[in-house]
């Protein structure tokens, strides 16, 4: 007597390619369709970053289409799979040209021989190439480092502000990267993006992720004050934290990048060697009046929560909170990385800051990832983060020599 389970599989075999093609098409569409809501933003961020996985899924669905006996269903699966496969290929097809532009921009600002200035032993620890498709599937390996979490550096208004420290296994003072997390100034913690912090620490840096109080309960300039308090704590405790205060850089993502650039560009800022900002706001007035379309986090509400009102009500505060107001000669070199499909912080605002930095005779690098959404590096082994990481680690290595 035939096995009933086998008969069922044979009878309903067509469901497998159908499910694969529908799922592949749904996910692949987010490589070109902007997310209209915050919930769907997860797909918009993630789809381009895992596109090699989608290529595999879509290729399997395409090949299985020919095993379906019903012609109309076979044609439907074939049609959907071809569209999905082409969509999922877009990031990889754009990658060579993007990498060429990035390499040229780095050489333009840092010199055509900038890589030769980085010690060979450090270069050997860095990624050997801008993108490795195998790393999308197996992940990027991170060497073991020492991690100390939850160090309280201040307690304003009875709110414990903490920092995390990531250090290489070898003891001693190291060049230091201070990292500020994002989250629309209203969420997040120093635990965010820990894989990145560990990865950088393994190359011989001390990486310190710092905390700040959140909006809407605490509004600007509270966040900047907390960042400055953290920086003072780091300098005062440099020996215990293993920080070389003469070789410090600051980095942030989104709202954290806004605070990082703001802190580094202040007239009384400490002497940072460089600034790294990922997809961060720079012009809050224009950001309020020119929100992205679609606008999944309601930019106007976020800014009103952060600043306490509109630009008409608080024009001076909006100006003070905009990094684009502060470029002047002799600022530290700045690396700006944005996703060109960003629907939280539009890439053009990063470009505005870049142009202002160049106009004031500063060294600035602007790298726009054509297929990437906001927070693209949340997928650490994703296509965009591999590219961004390759150039970020080299920028840090050169500026923290």
């Amino acid at each position: 007597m035939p096995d009933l389970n086998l008969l069922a599989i044979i009878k309903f075999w067509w469901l497998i390619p159908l499910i694969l093609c529908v799922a592949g098409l749904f996910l692949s569409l987010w490589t070109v369709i902007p997310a209209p809501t915050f919930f769907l933003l997860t797909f918009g961020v993630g789809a381009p970053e895992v596109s090699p996985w989608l290529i595999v899924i879509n290729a399997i669905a395409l090949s299985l289409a020919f095993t379906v006996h019903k012609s109309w269903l076979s044609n439907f699966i074939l049609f959907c799979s071809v569209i999905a496969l082409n969509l999922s290929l877009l990031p990889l097809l754009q990658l060579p040209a993007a990498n060429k532009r990035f390499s040229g921009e780095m050489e333009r600002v840092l010199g055509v021989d900038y890589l030769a200035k980085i010690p060979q032993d450090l270069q050997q620890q860095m990624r050997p190439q801008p993108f490795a498709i195998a790393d999308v599937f197996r992940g990027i390996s991170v060497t073991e480092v020492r991690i100390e979490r939850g160090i309280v550096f201040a307690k304003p208004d009875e709110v414990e502000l903490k920092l995390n420290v990531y250090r290489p296994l070898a003891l001693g003072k190291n060049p230091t990267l201070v990292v500020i997390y994002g989250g629309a100034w209203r969420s997040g913690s120093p635990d965010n993006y820990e894989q990145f912090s560990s990865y950088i620490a393994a190359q011989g840096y001390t990486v310190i992720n710092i905390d700040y109080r959140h909006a809407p309960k605490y509004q600007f300039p509270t966040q900047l004050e907390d960042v400055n308090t953290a920086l003072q704590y780091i300098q005062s405790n440099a020996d215990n934290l293993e920080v070389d205060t003469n070789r410090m850089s600051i980095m942030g993502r989104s709202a954290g990048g806004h605070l990082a650039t703001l802190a580094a560009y202040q007239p009384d800022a400490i002497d940072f060697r460089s600034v790294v900002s990922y997809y961060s706001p720079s012009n809050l007035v224009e950001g309020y009046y020119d929100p992205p379309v679609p606008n999944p986090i309601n930019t106007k509400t976020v800014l009103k929560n952060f600043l306490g009102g509109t630009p008409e009500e608080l024009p001076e505060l909006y100006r003070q909170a905009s990094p684009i107001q502060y470029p002047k000669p002799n600022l530290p070199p700045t690396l700006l990385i944005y996703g060109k499909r960003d629907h939280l912080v539009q890439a053009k605002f990063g470009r505005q800051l870049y142009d202002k930095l160049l106009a004031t005779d500063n060294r600035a690098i602007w790298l726009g990832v054509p297929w990437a959404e906001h927070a693209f590096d949340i997928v650490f082994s994703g296509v965009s983060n591999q590219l961004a990481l390759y150039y970020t680690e080299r920028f840090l290595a050169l500026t923290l020599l």
Side-chain angles (χ1 to χ4, degrees):
M1 184 176 180
D3 187 293
L4 293 179
N5 290 331
L6 181 60
L7 289 174
I9 291 173
I10 294 172
K11 183 177 181 180
F12 296 102
W13 166 255
W14 57 271
L15 277 173
I16 296 175
L18 179 62
I19 291 171
L20 283 176
C21 89
V22 170
L25 180 59
F26 172 78
L27 294 172
S28 300
L29 282 170
W30 295 108
T31 61
V32 293
I33 296 177
T37 67
F38 186 74
F39 171 76
L40 292 173
L41 187 64
T42 300
F43 297 106
V45 173
E49 308 317 319
V50 299
S51 55
W53 282 99
L54 296 178
I55 291 170
V56 172
I57 292 171
N58 295 325
I60 292 173
L62 181 61
S63 63
L64 291 179
F66 299 102
T67 69
V68 177
H69 298 302
K70 298 177 181 179
S71 60
W72 68 269
L73 183 58
S74 177
N75 290 337
F76 174 78
I77 295 172
L78 190 65
F79 176 75
C80 291
S81 299
V82 168
I83 293 176
L85 184 60
N86 279 278
L87 291 174
S88 59
L89 281 166
L90 286 176
L92 296 189
L93 292 175
Q94 297 175 82
L95 194 146
N99 179 55
K100 185 177 181 180
R101 288 195 301 272
F102 289 10
S103 178
E105 177 71 355
M106 292 283 286
E107 291 181 356
R108 181 191 67 79
V109 176
L110 303 178
V112 293
D113 62 340
Y114 81 93
L115 290 175
K117 300 174 185 177
I118 301 173
Q120 281 298 314
D121 59 338
L122 180 53
Q123 287 199 45
Q124 290 172 4
Q125 297 180 63
M126 297 188 292
R127 294 184 60 73
Q129 55 195 12
F131 176 71
I133 196 166
D135 285 347
V136 177
F137 298 100
R138 69 190 176 197
I140 297 174
S141 61
V142 177
T143 306
E144 182 184 357
V145 296
R146 290 178 291 139
I147 302 176
E148 190 174 358
R149 302 182 183 87
I151 300 173
V152 177
F153 67 84
K155 199 174 179 180
D157 199 22
E158 299 303 309
V159 177
E160 286 192 344
L161 298 177
K162 302 177 181 180
L163 56 81
N164 292 353
V165 186
Y166 306 81
R167 290 170 286 207
L169 296 181
L171 300 176
K173 286 190 174 183
N174 307 299
T176 298
L177 177 65
V178 178
V179 179
I180 311 174
Y181 59 82
W185 304 284
R186 61 190 182 190
S187 64
S189 86
D191 297 333
N192 293 1
Y193 293 88
E194 189 164 271
Q195 197 170 5
F196 170 87
S197 298
S198 297
Y199 176 89
I200 295 296
Q203 296 182 5
Y205 301 93
T206 294
V207 180
I208 304 180
N209 294 4
I210 65 174
D211 202 1
Y212 56 89
R213 284 170 287 177
H214 296 158
K217 182 176 181 180
Y218 298 99
Q219 295 172 335
F220 185 83
T222 298
Q223 292 75 19
L224 182 59
E225 293 168 355
D226 291 344
V227 168
N228 287 328
T229 299
L231 295 174
Q232 293 167 8
Y233 178 90
I234 291 167
Q235 289 183 302
S236 300
N237 295 273
D239 291 340
N240 291 334
L241 296 173
E242 299 176 42
V243 168
D244 182 347
T245 55
N246 294 315
R247 293 191 293 168
M248 293 180 62
S249 291
I250 190 167
M251 173 183 178
R253 298 173 177 87
S254 193
H258 162 267
L259 295 173
T261 50
L262 209 55
Y265 297 167
Q266 295 299 305
D268 57 349
I270 67 174
D271 188 18
F272 288 112
R273 289 286 192 91
S274 58
V275 182
V276 179
S277 176
Y278 280 20
Y279 44 83
S280 66
S282 65
N283 188 334
L284 303 194
V285 175
E286 286 197 25
Y288 184 91
Y289 289 120
D290 185 14
V293 179
N295 187 4
I297 65 166
N298 195 336
T299 301
K300 289 186 176 182
T301 298
V302 169
L303 288 172
K304 285 189 287 187
N305 286 342
F306 176 50
L307 294 163
T310 68
E312 291 97 336
E313 296 165 336
L314 303 165
E316 181 59 21
L317 195 62
Y318 269 78
R319 190 195 69 80
Q320 292 174 6
S322 295
I324 200 168
Q325 297 293 331
Y326 293 92
K328 60 185 184 300
N330 300 314
L331 290 176
T334 301
L335 174 63
L336 303 166
I337 303 183
Y338 286 76
K340 287 188 174 181
R341 294 185 60 252
D342 195 322
H343 290 85
L344 269 66
V345 178
Q346 297 179 79
K348 65 182 179 181
F349 295 127
R351 189 78 188 191
Q352 286 180 5
L353 179 58
Y354 167 77
D355 291 339
K356 188 76 173 287
L357 288 166
L358 294 186
T360 48
D361 296 323
N362 288 289
R363 289 195 295 169
I365 297 170
W366 189 86
L367 307 181
V369 186
W371 57 85
E373 248 290 2
H374 197 80
F376 59 78
D377 56 326
I378 199 168
V379 184
F380 189 65
S381 60
V383 180
S384 302
N385 188 53
Q386 286 195 42
L387 194 59
L389 187 61
Y390 179 87
Y391 290 105
T392 297
E393 62 185 349
R394 282 157 176 77
F395 178 79
L396 290 173
L398 185 66
T399 57
L400 287 173
L401 279 174

